Amino acid sequence: MRHAIRIPALLVGLAFASAASAADMWVHVRVEERGGERVHVNVPIDMVGHILPHIQADRLRDGKIVLEDHDLRGTDLKEMWTALRAAKDGDYVTVRGGDGNVRVSKRDGMMRIDVDDPSDGGQQVRVRIPLRLVDALLAPGENTLDVAAAMRVLAESGAGDLVTVTGGDESVRIWVDDVASPEEGASR
Amino acid sequence: MSPRARLVATVAALAAILFAGTVTAAGVAAYREGSIRVAVHEADPEGTDFSIAVPAALVHGVVALVPDHVLPAVDPRVAEVVPVLEAICDDLERRPDFVLVETWDADEHVVVAKRGGSIVVEVEGPDGTVRVGFPVRTIRSVTGLVKAAVARGAASV
């Protein structure tokens, strides 16, 4: 489960870092194995906000990811989100089993994903995504994901944890705050 | 003092002022532009141990003097990278120091950071230490060179 968590966590962190315009807000990623490898990444959101519009790759253009035919169609995704957005706060998916518990819910302006996996050292995964961020990401219009807009919203949302993974052999934390390098010098 | 001696003294004084001014200006430029630094220290007592610091102003001067016609023709698609690099430089130049990436494993400690106007990469391991630093302005200079090479590539198509 380690890699299953680490890779999406890093991707989420980098994706969140990949565009925004509010000055002096940072996305931090920390991945730490118990007694092993540690990775710390600090990305100024503002910097990525400046860079993103200049990247004109195949599927990333002007700060937007173009969804291709074989992807889930953007319109479908947007319709699903609109329906979810309009629904009342509450638990939407609850899975209880021997392998662990999963709960997907909407509460206090956040999409929340909670995973408790007793089989992997009691690992707990907590994901908190502001609804406004998804609104911006799935802005109406073309078949695209507006990453730049989503990141602007993320930066405006202020400090807070986005992803935390604790309890297993590996811990992951992705969060936003206004501190450049939280532990600089502490490790030397 | 004879008129001739006075003339010689005046010319000597002017030459001294010009020399001192040039040296001072070069020193200020070198200080402002920073240095490209490479340091390698092997843990083995008989291993490599060297440190070199080249004034970035020298590199910028050389880059500025390279005539466009000697540049290789670069694929115009490389042009897509140029604005990205320029945007990175714009941001880094105005941003205070920070650590971008830092990793540790059982053997190595790696840091990529912005420190004092330079991008610094440090790798510390059991075999030794490598430190490389280059001013952000140097990236901008080289980007300008790439831009010119791209323009030449586009012209030759």
Side-chain angles (χ1 to χ4, degrees), chain A residues 73-87:
Chain A
R73 279 169 46 86
T75 47
D76 297 340
L77 204 60
K78 289 168 189 179
E79 281 170 18
M80 283 165 55
W81 177 248
T82 303
L84 187 66
R85 190 72 163 93

Side-chain angles (χ1 to χ4, degrees), chain B residues 53-64:
Chain B
V54 179
L58 196 65
V59 176
H60 302 167
V62 170
V63 166

Side-chain angles (χ1 to χ4, degrees), chain A residues 15 35 63 69 85 91 99 102 108 114 135 146 162 165 177 187:
Chain A
D69 291 341
R85 190 72 163 93
D91 295 346
D99 291 340
V102 178
D108 304 326
D114 300 326
D135 289 341
D146 193 340
L162 299 169
V165 180
D177 67 20
S187 59

Side-chain angles (χ1 to χ4, degrees), chain A residues 38 40 42 46 181 188, chain B residues 91 94 99-100 102 104 115:
Chain A
R38 288 185 289 158
H40 291 187
N42 307 298
D46 189 33
S181 307
R188 291 166 193 286
Chain B
D91 194 278
R94 65 170 187 75
V99 174
L100 180 62
E102 188 163 17
W104 301 258
R115 286 190 195 135

Side-chain angles (χ1 to χ4, degrees), chain B residues 78-146:
Chain B
V78 175
E80 293 174 6
V81 180
V82 171
V84 176
L85 286 174
E86 287 178 333
I88 290 171
C89 291
D90 288 344
D91 194 278
L92 286 176
E93 280 174 349
R94 65 170 187 75
R95 190 169 293 285
D97 292 358
F98 70 101
V99 174
L100 180 62
V101 178
E102 188 163 17
T103 70
W104 301 258
D105 64 16
D107 298 322
E108 279 189 346
H109 177 211
V110 179
V111 180
V112 180
K114 189 210 168 197
R115 286 190 195 135
S118 288
I119 297 298
V120 177
V121 180
E122 297 176 352
V123 181
E124 296 173 5
D127 296 333
T129 306
V130 176
R131 288 191 173 85
V132 178
F134 46 91
V136 174
R137 290 178 67 116
T138 304
I139 304 174
R140 189 184 288 287
S141 283
V142 174
T143 303
L145 207 59
V146 173

